[in-house]
Amino acid sequence: MDAGHASTRGSVGWPVAVSVSCLVLAHGLVAVRLMPGPHLTVHAAHVAELVTYPLLVGGAGLLYLHLRLTPGSRTGWLTAAAVFGSAQGVANAVLRVVGEDPVQAAADWLPVLEVGVAAVLVTMLLAGHRAEPPGSPLLTGCTLALLFTSVRVLVIGRFELPHPPEVMLPGALLAATLLVLYAACAWLLLSRVGLPAWAGRRMAFSLVLLAVAHVLTFPLPPPDGRSLTAVVLHLVGAGFFVITALRLVRDALVRVEDSDRQVTSLEAQRRRDLEILHEVASAVSGIAAATHLLRAGETALEDRDRGQLESLVASENARLERLLGRAAEQPVTHLALDEVIDPVVLAHRARGRIVEWSPSGVHVRGRADALTEVVAILVDNAAVHSGSNRIVLTATAIGELAILKVVDEGRGIPREQLASVLDWGARGIASSGSGIGLAVAARLVGDMAGRLEVRSDARSGTTVRVVLPTARLGTRPPSRPPSSVGTS
């Protein structure tokens, strides 16, 4: 995690901790104030449990969210244990409030259930070191909580229970047993459940506070200072648990954002590499075609044609060297459009394509290599995909704008594909291309403060317009998207 994220985590953690703690304490104090009766400490203990365990359920939900946001995390059993402990705790707190007499009557047997709960928690945390739950941690925890709640209801219900055997441990030893089991849970949280060290320490501290509070008020809160102590321990323990779970979720979200940024960066780099390969292929094709003509027509070529072909080979070689050398991007400068287009037209004519073009005298602001690639893409697309054997290029200057048109009289682009024709990877069903050419052309034109427009229908073929600022004034085109499509 970088320094920025660490700083954010440090600056946000304490305000969150203070806010949650104040909310928990305020909730508990208000509820206590509203409960009349002589045994205020008993009521306070009951209310603290009714506040604490729902908070713990929320914390367990946050642990589950953290588990879902962290692929490969080995906290499934910890999440299941948190769900189990908090859910059965809610049920137990409600039963202790609404059924004090039955709970008191079953006081000899309930400690056995509490030891069972603690033993199950130890077992679940031990299992977390070896494997993940076979199903959903939520389902596992809720199922176990429902099972123990059902048994607890049966125990405190109006059933005749046998007197506990004489070998039953006395209350002090049962309390000690509970504390030992919860201490084992705390040790497992510190060492074996897949949490970061700081989170393990906080979870263990929270569990110890909650365990002591539970033992102090078992089976029912006493009307003395132990209940008030339990109130504080319950609220502080629950607050620590929820704050820790919140921080785990926030850290997981930061990691997800980092991963998204890395994926976006890798995707951008992959696209850039594909664009360079596309440009390299275009340059190599032009060099190969021109070289073939130079060799095949050593005696038949006129000096003017030979000079143009040699100039083409030299310019494409230079462009290839810049591409493969990953040279810095050329600056936007004044360009004579004819000097850019002439070699591209010559290269395509050398490949046997009929390309009509007459020098225009138009000057634009742009990058020579980028504009060369744009024209090469548009001519190549028209030759390969339109079905037309005739491509017409024209260039005109209208006020502050220069407009280059590439026109074919082919089959046109289907209306349902026209809207996405400039998207990366968009291509026709029967197309053998990569679907990146027009997307690359639109991006390159946009980077030169221009825009790319596509108009097409089945009757008149396809017209692609490249709109750039003229060199004379050097102004930008009107505020419009860098590319657009439509029917002519």
Side-chain angles (χ1 to χ4, degrees):
M1 186 176 296
D2 60 27
H5 290 149
S7 175
T8 300
R9 184 175 66 190
S11 62
V12 173
W14 281 111
V16 171
V18 172
S19 299
V20 172
S21 299
C22 290
L23 178 64
V24 171
L25 289 171
H27 189 173
L29 291 173
V30 169
V32 169
R33 182 68 181 85
L34 294 176
M35 291 189 71
H39 302 293
L40 185 60
T41 57
V42 175
H43 294 320
H46 283 316
V47 170
E49 289 187 346
L50 293 175
V51 172
T52 296
Y53 285 107
L55 278 174
L56 293 175
V57 170
L62 290 172
L63 281 181
Y64 180 71
L65 179 58
H66 167 264
L67 175 66
R68 300 292 294 177
L69 290 172
T70 313
S73 172
R74 296 183 62 83
T75 57
W77 276 114
L78 169 63
T79 303
V83 172
F84 164 61
S86 59
Q88 67 85 31
V90 169
N92 188 31
V94 172
L95 290 173
R96 279 157 51 116
V97 170
V98 301
E100 289 191 19
D101 292 338
V103 168
Q104 189 65 53
D108 292 330
W109 283 98
L110 287 177
V112 179
L113 274 177
E114 298 305 319
V115 171
V117 169
V120 169
L121 289 173
V122 171
T123 303
M124 295 173 82
L125 295 178
L126 277 173
H129 183 63
R130 298 179 177 86
E132 288 298 285
S136 167
L138 283 178
L139 182 60
T140 301
C142 289
T143 301
L144 288 172
L146 181 61
L147 174 63
F148 272 80
T149 299
S150 300
V151 174
R152 185 176 281 112
V153 169
L154 290 176
V155 169
I156 67 176
R158 299 185 182 280
F159 294 96
E160 290 294 333
L161 293 173
H163 188 74
E166 294 182 359
V167 296
M168 182 80 75
L169 291 175
L173 286 181
L174 280 171
T177 303
L178 281 175
L179 289 176
V180 169
L181 289 172
Y182 283 120
C185 289
W187 178 77
L188 291 170
L189 285 170
L190 288 171
S191 60
R192 310 184 72 172
V193 294
L195 286 175
W198 65 266
R201 288 192 296 270
R202 292 190 181 187
M203 289 281 186
F205 178 66
S206 171
L207 177 63
V208 169
L209 296 183
L210 293 170
V212 172
H214 185 60
V215 171
L216 286 176
T217 58
F218 186 82
L220 287 171
D224 54 33
R226 287 176 294 173
S227 291
L228 289 180
T229 303
V231 168
V232 175
L233 295 178
H234 265 130
L235 296 178
V236 174
F240 259 90
F241 182 83
V242 173
I243 291 167
T244 303
L246 278 170
R247 180 171 162 183
L248 284 170
V249 170
R250 190 182 63 230
D251 289 353
L253 288 173
V254 169
R255 287 193 295 272
V256 169
E257 290 174 0
D258 287 343
S259 298
D260 288 343
R261 279 192 289 269
Q262 291 174 4
V263 169
T264 300
S265 176
L266 290 173
E267 175 63 15
Q269 184 60 48
R270 184 186 73 87
R271 290 192 175 192
R272 181 57 187 150
D273 290 342
L274 289 175
E275 289 181 11
I276 291 175
L277 287 175
H278 197 278
E279 294 183 56
V280 167
S282 174
V284 169
S285 296
I287 292 171
T291 303
H292 175 74
L293 283 181
L294 285 170
R295 289 179 177 176
E298 289 183 356
T299 57
L301 286 175
E302 296 181 1
D303 290 341
R304 177 175 174 276
D305 293 336
R306 182 180 299 279
Q308 287 181 334
L309 289 171
E310 289 173 349
S311 176
L312 168 64
V313 171
S315 65
E316 290 295 83
N317 268 326
R319 183 160 75 101
L320 198 57
E321 288 177 2
R322 287 192 293 273
L323 288 171
L324 295 179
R326 297 293 179 98
E329 188 175 55
Q330 293 177 321
V332 174
T333 185
H334 291 202
L335 298 174
L337 198 55
D338 298 343
E339 294 179 4
V340 174
I341 294 179
D342 284 345
V344 178
V345 170
L346 183 61
H348 283 275
R349 286 173 177 169
R351 295 164 69 179
R353 293 167 176 171
I354 301 173
V355 184
E356 297 183 10
W357 159 250
S358 297
S360 63
V362 175
H363 288 70
V364 300
R365 285 182 58 79
R367 300 182 178 91
D369 283 354
L371 194 51
T372 297
E373 178 62 13
V374 169
V375 177
I377 287 172
L378 298 182
V379 174
D380 191 66
N381 268 19
V384 173
H385 301 297
S386 72
S388 173
N389 57 6
R390 177 172 172 266
I391 303 161
V392 180
L393 276 69
T394 59
T396 55
I398 304 175
E400 301 173 356
L401 302 178
I403 301 174
L404 169 66
K405 290 184 181 180
V406 180
V407 182
D408 67 67
E409 299 175 350
R411 64 180 69 95
I413 301 171
R415 183 181 297 272
E416 63 273 12
Q417 297 176 12
L418 191 57
S420 61
V421 73
L422 298 180
D423 294 345
W424 182 274
R427 60 180 182 175
I429 297 176
S431 173
S432 59
S434 60
I436 68 173
L438 286 178
V440 171
R443 184 189 66 78
L444 292 174
V445 172
D447 289 347
M448 294 184 287
R451 64 179 184 269
L452 193 71
E453 302 173 349
V454 181
R455 300 289 183 269
S456 183
D457 63 34
R459 296 186 303 275
S460 59
T462 301
T463 298
V464 182
R465 290 174 19 124
V466 178
V467 183
L468 290 169
T470 58
R472 181 172 57 85
L473 296 177
T475 55
R476 297 171 67 93
S479 226
R480 291 176 58 184
S483 58
S484 62
V485 294
T487 56
S488 55

